[in-house]
Each structure stands twice: as C-alpha cells, then as structure tokens.
C-alpha cells in the first residue's frame, strides 16, 4: 500500500512528537501514517514525507540523517525543534545543515523550526556556570532562553506549523 503522506520523526523528550501529531491532524483526510524513526520501514512508500528531528549538536540525530539519505525522488518537508528560541539566522543555518542529508533528486518543500523545552538538568548546569562566569550577561541570556523554552512548542508555534503544512500541500497541488 502507498500512503499519500507519511510523517517520520525522532523525539526524545516529546517536543518534536507534538509537532508530528499536529501535522498528522492538519493533513487532509487522505491515506496518512505517522511513525517514529526507529519504526520506519523503507518499503512502505508515500507521495509526501514530513521528516521531523530534534536538533542534536547543530544537526539532526543520526537516525533521521540515515532516513533522509535513503529518500530518493520524493517530496520531502522537514520540521524540527531545538533549544534556541526565535533565531531566524540560526534556524536557517540548521536547515542548511540538515538539508544536506537529503539527495538532490528529491523535491524539497521547506523546513519548519521552533523552540522546544529542555530538561531542568540543563538549567541547573547554566546556574552553575553563572557562579563562575566572567561574562554573566551571556549566561543570563542562556537562562532566559531556557525559561522561554519551557513554554514551547506553544499554540502560536502550532498555528505556524499548520500554515507551513498548508503551504507544502499547495506547492504540491500547484494552487
Ligand atoms: C544531546 C543534545 C544536543 C542538543 N543540541 C542542540 C543544539 O545544537 N542546538 C539547539 O538549539 N538545541 C540543542 N538541543 C536541544 C534539543 O534540540 C531540544 O530540547 C529539542 O526540542 C528536543 O526535542 P524532543 O523533545 O523532540 O526530543 C540538544 C539537546 C540534546 C539532548
């Protein structure tokens, strides 16, 4: 069986999973499937792929990189979450890095990125850094970014994602 669309995602702490579920419910009522990267079966095909990742040291995690490399002649959209909030320059750089895993024989539809919350252990690490930091302002900024992240992905992110999905579908149908 061939699906109209397939969402494949990797998520450790649930942020990217939230986006994946939103995409699933935003898509039209056609044959669609949603799977974690570990469950992906390359033999089950789809017309459109939405591939989701959490940002892992400036790139997507290896499981998603492998899946992107395995796709050929497909329509592919990317989506993901990262710790950094609302930073278009950084998001653009991430998109460029992750896109490199995708071969050029695919039809690339675009990338949606937003902030996701990080574990509290990260905040504790920042707090420790603050005590010994030469430039406390930088660490304060990191703490601020962390606290902002606790609210994401939020309703606005999900609305923006819904619009992104719509735009991807319009690119395909040529509307
Ligand atoms: C090992 C590791 C590396 C990370 N590297 C980055 C990074 O380079 N840039 C960034 O903005 N966020 C980074 N993050 C934060 C995650 O991308 C972010 O928390 C993401 O929303 C997690 O998504 P998930 O809940 O779907 O797993 C990293 C997190 C971990 C655990």
């Amino acid at each position: 069986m061939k699906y109209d669309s397939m969402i494949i995602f990797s998520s450790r702490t649930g942020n990217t999973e939230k986006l994946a579920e939103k995409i699933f419910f935003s898509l039209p009522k056609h044959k669609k499937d949603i799977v974690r990267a570990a469950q992906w079966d390359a033999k089950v095909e789809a017309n459109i792929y939405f591939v989701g990742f959490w940002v892992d040291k400036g790139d997507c995690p290896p499981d998603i990189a492998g899946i992107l490399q395995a796709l050929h002649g497909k329509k592919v959209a990317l989506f993901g979450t990262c710790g950094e909030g609302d930073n278009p320059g950084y998001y653009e750089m991430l998109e460029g890095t992750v896109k490199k895993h995708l071969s050029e024989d695919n039809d690339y539809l675009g990338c949606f990125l937003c902030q996701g919350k990080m574990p509290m252990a990260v905040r504790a690490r920042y707090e420790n850094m603050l005590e010994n930091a030469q430039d406390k302002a930088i660490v304060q900024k990191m703490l601020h970014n962390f606290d902002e992240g606790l609210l994401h992905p939020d309703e606005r992110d999900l609305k923006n994602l819904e619009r992104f999905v719509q735009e991807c579908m319009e690119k395909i149908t040529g509307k």
Side-chain angles (χ1 to χ4, degrees), residues 11-16 54-55 57-58 81-84 90 118:
S11 182
R12 276 171 45 146
T13 58
N15 297 322
T16 313
W54 57 278
V55 171
K57 298 180 240 50
T81 64
C82 64
E84 177 76 9
Y90 183 60
M118 291 188 281

Side-chain angles (χ1 to χ4, degrees), residues 24-72:
F24 185 80
F25 290 111
S26 302
L27 283 167
K29 282 197 173 61
H30 60 199
K31 270 183 268 162
K32 51 187 174 178
D33 198 13
I34 177 168
V35 291
R36 287 187 176 271
Q39 295 153 357
W40 181 58
D41 176 356
K43 292 192 290 295
V44 181
E45 291 209 82
N47 288 325
I48 315 155
Y49 290 78
F50 287 89
V51 184
F53 58 92
W54 57 278
V55 171
D56 180 8
K57 298 180 240 50
D59 202 341
C60 60
D63 53 358
I64 290 293
I67 289 169
L68 292 174
Q69 283 154 17
L71 295 177
H72 294 282

Side-chain angles (χ1 to χ4, degrees), residues 2-164:
K2 187 168 181 174
Y3 285 96
D4 293 308
S5 57
M6 166 117 49
I7 301 153
I8 308 162
F9 69 97
S10 174
S11 182
R12 276 171 45 146
T13 58
N15 297 322
T16 313
E17 182 174 11
K18 210 169 177 181
L19 301 191
E21 285 172 353
K22 180 67 184 180
I23 294 174
F24 185 80
F25 290 111
S26 302
L27 283 167
K29 282 197 173 61
H30 60 199
K31 270 183 268 162
K32 51 187 174 178
D33 198 13
I34 177 168
V35 291
R36 287 187 176 271
Q39 295 153 357
W40 181 58
D41 176 356
K43 292 192 290 295
V44 181
E45 291 209 82
N47 288 325
I48 315 155
Y49 290 78
F50 287 89
V51 184
F53 58 92
W54 57 278
V55 171
D56 180 8
K57 298 180 240 50
D59 202 341
C60 60
D63 53 358
I64 290 293
I67 289 169
L68 292 174
Q69 283 154 17
L71 295 177
H72 294 282
K74 311 289 187 208
K75 296 177 175 65
V76 185
L78 300 174
F79 66 98
T81 64
C82 64
E84 177 76 9
D86 198 23
N87 184 340
Y90 183 60
Y91 290 179
E92 223 171 273
M93 198 187 72
L94 290 173
E95 176 182 7
T97 303
V98 176
K99 207 177 125 182
K100 283 199 188 108
H101 298 294
L102 197 59
S103 92
E104 292 201 355
D105 60 10
N106 292 289
D107 184 6
Y108 178 65
L109 300 172
C111 178
F112 175 88
L113 278 165
C114 73
Q115 190 175 17
K117 65 181 100 27
M118 291 188 281
M120 287 313 284
V122 174
R123 194 179 206 287
R125 207 168 65 227
Y126 291 170
E127 283 165 4
N128 278 334
M129 282 166 70
L130 187 62
E131 280 176 28
N132 308 309
Q134 300 266 345
D135 189 345
K136 291 196 189 303
I138 292 177
V139 187
Q140 292 284 11
K141 222 171 140 187
M142 288 158 75
L143 281 163
H144 179 78
N145 178 69
F146 177 94
D147 291 342
E148 176 61 31
L150 292 175
L151 307 169
H152 292 269
D154 65 7
E155 276 310 309
R156 213 182 76 187
D157 297 325
L158 297 179
K159 273 264 163 258
N160 290 338
L161 175 63
E162 203 171 5
R163 200 168 314 126
F164 170 75

